[in-house]
Each structure stands twice: as structure tokens, then as C-alpha cells.
Amino acid sequence: MKNGWQKFLDGEFDVMDFFPEPAEEPDLSREAVKEIRKEENRRIDEDPRTRKVVAFERRSFRIIYYFVAVVSCVVFIGVMLYGVSFLPRYGQENAWAAEVSRRYIEKGLEETGALNIVAGMILDYRAFDTLGESHVLFTALVLVMVLLRRDKKNQQSEVEDYYTIRNDAYFRTAGDLILSKTGTFLVPCILVYGLYVLLNGQLSPGGGFSGGAVMGAAMIIFAASSGFDRVDRFFSLKLSSWVTFAALGFYSFAKGYVFFTGANGIHNGIPKGTPGAILSGGLILPLDVAVGVVVACTMFGFYSLFRRGRIGGSGK
Amino acid sequence: MIGWIRFGLTAVFLIAGLVFFAGGAAGYIRFGYSLNRIHAGGLGDTAGLFFVLLALAFSAGELMDILKLGLLLLFMWSTSPTSSHFLSQIEYYTNTRLYDHVEREESKEDENGSC
Amino acid sequence: MTLETAYRLLYIGTLLVLAALIGIMLVRSIIGPRVTDRILAINMIGTMVIASIAVLSQYLMEGYLLDVGLIYAMISFVSVLILASVYIPAHPMRGPFGKEAFRENEMRTEPKTGKKGKARRKRR
């Protein structure tokens, strides 16, 4: 019988030679295959040469791994440093490196209408980045839910259920008299303050992210001082999902116009208002509200998931 | 002339606030047990912050700044005792050799046993 | 000695003294044998930082920096709260924070019947 390679060289090549004949007997069942594999593994494990081979493989892998890790890190760092060396020195005036920032500083107020240049930048000039950031926060919440959530599908037994309830009661702070009275007074104040920071994004430092964080912290204080049952009355999974969806959808649709007007130089008719008033800056205020709401839901969602493994009521 | 009076008041109250902060820090370093150090913490939170913010209210330019300083003071005065309460609770519940440092009284709660 | 330089000297001196106090407190927070000492150090350092932020807002004549101070006060409060809930276990025998607080100040947040009641009864 000639070799396959020989047949190829001589020109007697037949494609159908590569496909084996169909088997006459059916395949083995899964349990039988598992048994055969287990038997083979047992035979390999009992062989005295196996341990030496495994040890040699492990050592050689470690040596090669360290070497390759060091070399790749050095190469990567070298390439990056070489690229960075073309930048101007720290603090030096350089026309071609600073033209974007000069444009933002000089024309920021008249083009965006916001007194706070940073808010004008992240929500008007570079609103697409902020859209991505909000989506990243939402994705983080979804992933934490995938990893940590306990519902009917995840719970294995009654014992786990007991420990969940016991840990929730074990580590609570809600029964304290001092904390509950302080929390009754503090939580509305902090919530209103968070709303103030949120709505003043275009006038003073603040904006969507910090205002949302303050509102999330107010919810955390509320949950810690009055117990989770009170928060579950208004913050359920359905509310959180719909609110984040609505906020992100509104952001995406509201800022979609720039893809048509910005590149083609068409003037958009969104009013900028007088700088210094609260209703100024075009679309900065609604987008601030959307981002703040997403951040607040995410922060409280994280706290609730890490404490009890669910957002909102248990629904049992 | 009024400018110098304002400066004088600011300086006096600021130095008073710094004295209280330094007293709090000195107490924190030199006291023997952690339950005593919580008292030193309260000193800084209440008196130190009050005098510092009062000093800054004298030299403030707008009304909004004074209101914000008042709000900050109100917030700190509401939350600092709760923080001290929780710190002492942590110490009480997690120290197994509490009664080496603390005197024990005979009271009716002992019949429950200590946990 | 004009008024401006007098104010500037005063504010910078205050900031320097507060910074030195913060540095001193860090030393004790490393030494201090209990966990309470360290959380207390964070709390006090936070208060000193709030004072220095307020002084800075007057020094730079920017009024909005006081918002930052308020947020910092809230953050330090929430941190002590959550750390306490990590370190204080609630003993069901004597109530979470004192026997009287558990029995008399029931806030009706945990229902007596239901899952938690069943857990409590199961333990006894």
C-alpha cells in the first residue's frame, strides 16, 4: 500500500480516501465511553514513569512561562516608552499637542453654553464616551447579578436558604434606635443634596456621576438604618431595570443627532440658554439626570447584591 | 479698619479650632485604651470643626458660603455622635478581654451570660 | 503687611498644622492594637480633611469646594456605618444592640412569622 504522500506525488490522488468508512456498529453510549476513559487514566496514573514526566513538564512550563513573561513585558514596556518619548515635556508649551484643549477652553462657553467646561466636554463634545461609560456601569451591574444572584434556580437546599436568612439578620444594623432616628433625619437631606449636585452639573463641579453616587449613598444609609424591608417597597428589580433601560435609551436617542449634524456641519437647533441659569447648556441637564439615575441604581444594586444576593423583594 | 477686625476675629477662632484639633490628636496618641480614644475623636468633630467653620464664616464673601458652612456643621454634628456610638459598639462586641480594661458592675444583666 | 498677605499666611499656616496633625495620627493608627483604633483614625483624619478643604475654599476664593467637603463628611459616616455592620454580629440571645433595644423598639421591619421567625424558632 502506498503512502498517502506517495500517492499525491504520483498523481493517484483520491479525495475519498480521507474519509473513513462508516462504522457498522453504533457508537458507544456516554457512560461506556466514560468508563473506558477512566480505565485508561487509571492505567496511566499507576505507571511509575508518569510522576517523573509530570514533574518535568511542570518545571519546564514554569521556567518557560517566567522567561516568556519577562521578555514580553520588557518588549511591551520598551515599545510604549519609545512611543511616549515623542511627546513634549511636562509643562512645555507645544502648539500641536495642545490645540484640542485650547479649542475647548476658548470656545467651550459659547459652543456648549455651560459654565463648567468639564461638564460641557464630557456631555457635549465627547458625549459618546460618556454613553459608553454609562453602559459599562450597567454591564457591571448585570455581571454582578449573574455571579451573585440567588433565586429559585440557584438555591440548592433548605440549608443554604437558612444561612442566607441568618447572615442577613446576623449582620444587620437596622435595629438600633440611635441609627434609625438619625437616618430618618439624614436620608431626605442627603437625597436632596444629591439631587442638587446632579442638577448643577453645568454650573459648578458636580454633574451626573457624583450626584448619582451621593444618591446611591443616601439609599445605602436608608437601607442600613431602616432595614431592607422598607427599601423593598419601592426599589424592586423591575423598577431598577426599567429605570436604567429608560435612562440609557433616552441618552442614546437624544445624542444620536450628532452623527448627522456634527460631521456634515449642519447647525442643530437645541437652545443653549443664558450661561448661569439652571436651564442652560442644551442637552446637558437631561443627560446628567439620565447618567445620575443609572449610577444611583448601580450603587445601591451592588450593595444589595453583596448583602443578600438579590435586588428587591424575594417574591416567595 | 473693618478688614482688620474681620481678620482678627478669623485668626482668633481659627487658632482656637486648631487648639482643639491638636488636643484631639494628642488625646488620641496618649490615651491608654481605645474606648478612651473615642472621646478624643469627639473633641475634634464637635469643638474643633465649630471654631474653624465659624472663623471661615467671618471671612466669607457671599451669603451662600455662610449657609453652606452652616449646613456642613449641621451635618457633621448629626453624624459624629452616631459614628462614635458605632465605634464603641464595635469595641464592646468584639473584644473578648474587655474586662481587663473596664470595671465591671454587678447588675441584673449578668444573668443572661456574656457572649 | 497688607491684608492679603496676612490672610494668606494665616491660611497656609493652618493648612500646615492640619497636615502635621494628620501625619501624627497615621503613626498611631499603625501601632494601635485594636481594630477600633484604626477606624477611629480614619474618622478623625476625615474631619481634619474637611476642615482643610473649608480653609482651602476660602484661600482660593472658590465657593463650590464646600460641596466636596459635605460629600466627604457623608462618605466617612457611611464607611463607619458599614464597617460596624461587618464587625458587630447580632446576638439573638441579647438582641442586636442591647436587650431592651431588641424587645421594645421593634420597628416591624422583620415580621415575627415568616422566614425569619421560622429561623429564630428553629435555632431555639
Side-chain angles (χ1 to χ4, degrees):
Chain A
M1 275 293 284
K2 277 193 193 169
N3 207 356
W5 183 235
Q6 296 264 342
K7 283 208 270 187
F8 173 70
L9 284 178
D10 294 339
E12 296 171 0
F13 189 69
D14 188 8
V15 172
M16 294 311 288
D17 281 341
F18 281 109
F19 301 109
E21 300 281 335
E24 276 128 10
E25 42 191 60
D27 285 335
L28 295 171
S29 70
R30 184 175 264 192
E31 287 83 15
V33 169
K34 273 194 202 169
E35 288 288 329
I36 293 177
R37 295 260 167 85
K38 210 192 297 187
E39 182 62 33
E40 283 177 4
N41 284 342
R42 196 187 56 82
R43 215 162 14 96
I44 290 176
D45 281 340
E46 285 169 3
D47 201 349
R49 293 174 293 176
T50 305
R51 206 186 300 167
K52 281 193 262 188
V53 166
V54 165
F56 171 71
E57 276 180 2
R58 277 201 192 131
R59 253 189 57 218
S60 64
F61 174 72
R62 266 175 55 191
I63 293 172
I64 294 177
Y65 178 75
Y66 287 152
F67 179 69
V68 168
V70 168
V71 163
S72 64
C73 276
V74 166
V75 163
F76 185 69
I77 292 174
V79 167
M80 289 291 136
L81 282 178
Y82 179 67
V84 162
S85 71
F86 286 106
L87 287 178
R89 289 179 71 128
Y90 184 71
Q92 214 183 43
E93 269 274 343
N94 201 328
W96 56 267
E99 71 177 62
V100 173
S101 54
R102 188 173 301 137
R103 163 73 184 262
Y104 285 168
I105 294 174
E106 286 171 5
K107 296 229 193 120
L109 183 56
E110 63 186 70
E111 284 188 356
T112 65
L115 279 180
N116 186 9
I117 302 180
V118 174
M121 213 177 74
I122 62 174
L123 287 168
D124 199 311
Y125 282 123
R126 309 223 167 164
F128 196 55
D129 290 342
T130 313
L131 177 74
E133 282 178 32
S134 313
H135 280 282
V136 160
L137 276 171
F138 176 66
T139 311
L141 179 66
V142 165
L143 285 176
V144 169
M145 264 173 64
V146 162
L147 287 173
L148 287 181
R149 191 163 168 224
R150 301 176 142 267
D151 52 2
K152 290 189 282 289
K153 298 184 224 165
N154 290 348
Q155 274 168 353
Q156 308 286 332
S157 62
E158 285 286 325
V159 181
E160 270 190 26
D161 193 9
Y162 166 71
Y163 273 111
T164 307
I165 298 168
R166 188 204 78 135
N167 285 338
D168 190 24
Y170 199 64
F171 291 110
R172 69 170 183 257
T173 53
D176 197 15
L177 178 65
I178 294 180
L179 183 59
S180 71
K181 298 304 181 192
T182 311
T184 316
F185 159 68
L186 273 182
V187 166
C189 295
I190 301 178
L191 210 53
V192 168
Y193 181 68
L195 213 53
Y196 155 74
V197 168
L198 188 86
L199 293 174
N200 260 25
Q202 70 271 21
L203 303 177
S204 69
F209 292 100
S210 34
V214 173
M215 292 206 301
M219 303 275 295
I220 291 178
I221 296 180
F222 183 46
S225 71
S226 310
F228 271 105
D229 291 340
R230 289 237 172 119
V231 185
D232 284 346
R233 285 186 206 165
F234 69 92
F235 193 89
S236 58
L237 183 62
K238 203 167 153 190
L239 176 90
S240 165
S241 317
W242 277 103
V243 157
T244 44
F245 167 69
L248 289 175
F250 167 69
Y251 194 123
S252 311
F253 279 110
K255 261 303 181 181
Y257 70 89
V258 291
F259 290 107
F260 304 103
T261 68
N264 298 332
I266 306 176
H267 178 72
N268 59 335
I270 295 182
K272 294 207 180 45
T274 55
I278 191 117
L279 289 177
S280 68
L283 273 182
I284 291 183
L285 183 64
L287 297 182
D288 255 341
V289 170
V291 165
V293 150
V294 170
V295 172
C297 285
T298 303
M299 281 199 60
F300 185 67
F302 278 163
Y303 177 67
S304 184
L305 279 168
F306 273 92
R307 263 299 275 264
R308 344 175 259 174
R310 61 177 197 264
I311 301 179
S314 67
K316 279 200 188 157
Chain B
M1 195 56 208
I2 292 193
W4 283 101
I5 294 181
R6 268 169 78 171
F7 174 73
L9 280 171
T10 307
V12 161
F13 283 121
L14 209 51
I15 291 178
L18 282 182
V19 161
F20 277 107
F21 270 126
Y28 175 67
I29 297 175
R30 284 181 57 93
F31 279 158
Y33 182 54
S34 68
L35 279 178
N36 299 334
R37 292 181 197 134
I38 297 176
H39 286 111
L43 194 66
D45 278 351
T46 50
L49 208 59
F50 173 66
F51 282 115
V52 167
L53 295 185
L54 190 65
L56 294 173
F58 276 118
S59 80
E62 311 174 8
L63 181 68
M64 194 63 190
D65 286 351
I66 301 178
L67 288 178
K68 273 188 192 170
L69 286 167
L71 182 66
L72 180 62
L73 194 65
L74 197 66
F75 186 83
M76 264 326 268
W77 275 5
S78 309
T79 63
S80 162
T82 315
S83 302
S84 305
H85 168 71
F86 275 114
L87 283 168
S88 61
Q89 294 281 328
I90 291 175
E91 180 62 31
Y92 177 59
Y93 278 105
T94 62
N95 199 355
T96 49
R97 296 163 54 171
L98 179 70
Y99 292 110
D100 291 350
H101 305 274
V102 171
E103 283 182 11
R104 190 173 189 155
E105 290 181 358
E106 292 298 317
S107 64
K108 282 183 290 196
E109 287 188 1
D110 284 348
E111 67 205 21
N112 257 352
S114 60
C115 295
Chain C
M1 172 80 86
T2 64
L3 206 59
E4 300 291 329
T5 48
Y7 267 119
R8 196 182 285 178
L9 222 62
L10 180 70
Y11 289 148
I12 291 184
T14 310
L15 287 173
L16 283 175
V17 169
L18 279 172
L21 286 176
I22 291 177
I24 289 177
M25 301 207 51
L26 276 177
V27 170
R28 185 52 166 183
S29 86
I30 295 175
I31 294 177
R34 296 281 309 155
V35 116
T36 319
D37 297 334
R38 298 184 178 118
I39 307 178
L40 182 64
I42 298 297
N43 210 7
M44 288 177 74
I45 288 176
T47 305
M48 289 178 189
V49 165
I50 293 170
S52 52
I53 286 178
V55 167
L56 206 64
S57 90
Q58 279 301 309
Y59 176 53
L60 295 174
M61 300 299 265
E62 312 272 14
Y64 51 80
L65 289 178
L66 292 169
D67 297 346
V68 179
L70 199 49
I71 292 183
Y72 206 90
M74 195 192 60
I75 295 279
S76 80
F77 171 61
V78 171
S79 73
V80 170
L81 204 68
I82 304 301
L83 277 173
S85 83
V86 167
Y87 278 104
I88 301 177
H91 296 278
M93 295 296 285
R94 58 166 20 156
F97 296 102
K99 184 163 64 112
E100 294 82 11
F102 184 65
R103 294 274 164 77
E104 293 167 24
N105 299 328
E106 272 177 349
M107 300 170 42
R108 301 285 170 218
T109 54
E110 285 105 358
K112 283 212 177 91
T113 59
K115 346 189 260 284
K116 286 187 185 167
K118 211 189 296 179
R120 272 193 226 127
R121 271 181 261 130
K122 211 189 283 184
R123 184 114 34 99
R124 289 194 197 135

